[in-house]
Amino acid sequence: MQQRLVPLLRHIVGTGTSKHENRDQSSGSFVAPEDLDTLAIESFPLCMQEIHSHLRKEHHLRYNARNQYGLFLKGIGLSLEGSLEFFRSEFTKKMDGDQFNKQYRYNIRHMYGMEGNRIDKKPLSCSSIILGAAPNGIDCHGCPFRHMDSELLTKKLNNIGLNEDQVAEIMYSSKCHRYDKACTKYFEFVHKIPDLEELITHPNQYYSLSRKARRGELIIKSEEVVDEKIPEINDNLEEMEMWEEE
């Protein structure tokens, strides 16, 4: 399956190292830990909503989810200090602070290039998430349009408030392995945007476009207008005079 998906995703490989890799590019703003619950509802793609919801419920994330979500949060503008504060506040609902520092602090600092080889890691693109380690039954990472059971995905889309036709369109794209199109359609339906100008290929791109949409700054495709030449009145008069002479 993964080998068959590679050609379909080849056009989106590498988007994780472009304009979507750092903080919210549409505004240049930073976010605080206390903003995340609201932002998750308003502007997170479905994959990040799933991880955020799981974290709030279980107060823990396994490595792949922690990496996917932590780098996404870094990309939208959450600072290293904010990230440590956010994850510590959740994880310490199940463990003490010393255990968090020993097991997870290094990993979070590593995401920000402050440990190990000190590489400034970039948020994961959709292709990296889709072709990466697949989630099992206890995981919450990955792409819902690729990895989630179709019945569960349908139920989630219905619960969000999408109508039957909208859900069917998203599910069709998902079953055709067009996960980028499924996510783009999801964005359009949730934000009530009739026709998005670009295909979504990165979670941070989704977030940035969502913030623009909420500020009324998002550009959508305009319908093509057929420019028909209308005969001028003078031309018609000349033709009528010629007919009269005949």
Side-chain angles (χ1 to χ4, degrees):
M1 172 64 75
Q2 182 165 318
Q3 290 180 341
R4 294 202 303 269
L5 285 174
V6 171
L8 294 173
L9 295 167
R10 188 167 292 163
H11 69 290
I12 63 175
V13 171
T15 54
T17 58
S18 63
K19 64 182 179 179
H20 309 299
E21 64 193 20
N22 295 316
R23 62 181 179 273
D24 180 4
Q25 295 293 320
S26 62
S27 65
S29 63
F30 290 88
V31 301
E34 57 267 25
D35 299 329
L36 295 178
D37 285 334
T38 299
L39 290 174
I41 296 171
E42 293 180 348
S43 295
F44 281 14
L46 188 57
C47 57
M48 300 305 171
Q49 286 184 14
E50 284 295 299
I51 299 176
H52 183 82
S53 177
H54 182 92
L55 175 59
R56 286 304 201 193
K57 180 180 179 181
E58 301 296 335
H59 314 300
H60 185 265
L61 293 176
R62 286 158 62 90
Y63 173 77
N64 286 314
R66 197 165 65 247
N67 190 57
Q68 179 178 330
Y69 191 46
L71 291 174
F72 168 79
L73 294 179
K74 175 188 175 185
I76 69 172
L78 187 65
S79 67
L80 171 58
E81 293 74 18
S83 185
L84 286 168
E85 176 188 340
F86 173 64
F87 283 106
R88 183 186 292 111
S89 68
E90 282 299 321
F91 279 44
T92 52
K93 292 174 182 177
K94 279 193 170 181
M95 64 183 70
D96 60 36
D98 288 340
Q99 184 179 355
F100 174 83
N101 288 335
K102 290 177 181 178
Q103 295 185 11
Y104 302 104
R105 187 172 183 272
Y106 178 94
N107 175 239
I108 295 170
R109 286 175 53 82
H110 192 274
M111 293 181 193
Y112 285 77
M114 301 303 293
E115 298 288 357
N117 53 15
R118 297 185 179 273
I119 294 176
D120 188 21
K121 298 180 72 174
K122 310 303 180 185
L124 300 180
S125 65
C126 293
S127 58
S128 297
I129 294 170
I130 291 169
L131 296 176
N136 60 33
I138 60 175
D139 288 321
C140 62
H141 69 278
C143 169
F145 305 111
R146 164 68 177 92
H147 297 115
M148 189 174 287
D149 175 77
S150 59
E151 290 187 8
L152 179 57
L153 178 57
T154 298
K155 183 178 179 180
K156 285 186 177 293
L157 295 175
N158 284 323
N159 290 340
I160 288 169
L162 302 187
N163 63 43
E164 185 176 340
D165 291 339
Q166 291 171 334
V167 172
E169 189 168 353
I170 291 173
M171 295 304 299
Y172 176 78
S173 294
S174 178
K175 290 176 181 178
C176 292
H177 310 304
R178 288 301 310 273
Y179 312 118
D180 50 357
K181 188 173 182 180
C183 190
T184 302
K185 283 297 176 185
Y186 173 80
F187 180 97
E188 292 174 349
F189 296 147
V190 168
H191 292 82
K192 296 178 172 56
I193 302 293
D195 202 356
L196 194 62
E197 195 174 46
E198 56 190 280
L199 197 65
I200 292 176
T201 60
H202 198 295
N204 291 75
Q205 174 195 12
Y206 182 108
Y207 174 84
S208 181
L209 290 172
S210 176
R211 301 316 292 168
K212 285 183 178 180
R214 294 189 65 83
R215 294 193 298 268
E217 300 172 358
L218 191 61
I219 300 174
I220 61 175
K221 290 181 182 177
S222 57
E223 296 182 1
E224 293 184 4
V225 178
V226 179
D227 186 16
E228 296 182 354
K229 184 178 180 181
I230 301 175
E232 295 182 2
I233 295 177
N234 290 340
D235 292 340
N236 289 339
L237 289 174
E238 290 176 2
E239 290 179 3
M240 291 175 65
E241 290 173 355
M242 290 175 61
W243 293 337
E244 289 176 355
E245 290 176 358
E246 293 177 354

